[in-house]
Amino acid sequence: MTDSPRTTRVVLAPDEAAELDRLAAAVTEHAEALERARTALGQAAGRIAARYDRGGPAAVAVKVGWSRQHVSTLAAAHRAKTETADGAEAA
């Protein structure tokens, strides 16, 4: 059995550490942008689907590749939000 010391980690070169920091920051920035884009797409899908009495959710679902049920839920949320805003303006 050998009693050699174990190295738990090495010290990265400054340029390597800077590269990893830069790339990690880019991933975070892009992830936040992706979340904003997903939110905007969901809101637009709900708004557009809510404009139609029938067939709107199905058409939007096909266009964006989501289920009709998901788009119907987004449309219902949009309608509820709109009705709440209209009710607040009327008061």
Side-chain angles (χ1 to χ4, degrees):
M1 189 164 155
T2 307
D3 290 330
S4 62
R6 298 190 80 185
T7 303
T8 57
R9 67 179 165 171
V10 297
V11 176
L12 298 175
D15 61 325
E16 293 170 331
E19 178 183 9
L20 293 173
D21 288 342
R22 180 180 53 79
L23 292 171
V27 167
T28 299
E29 179 183 333
H30 287 85
E32 291 168 355
L34 178 59
E35 188 56 36
R36 288 189 302 273
R38 282 184 179 150
T39 299
L41 179 58
Q43 291 171 345
R47 176 178 41 80
I48 292 167
R51 290 181 49 205
Y52 300 94
D53 291 331
R54 292 190 149 313
V60 171
V62 167
K63 183 66 177 171
V64 297
W66 293 343
S67 72
R68 185 189 55 75
Q69 291 82 7
H70 181 66
V71 177
S72 292
T73 301
L74 293 171
H78 176 77
R79 284 186 200 103
K81 183 178 176 183
T82 303
E83 290 169 5
T84 303
D86 291 346
E89 289 176 7

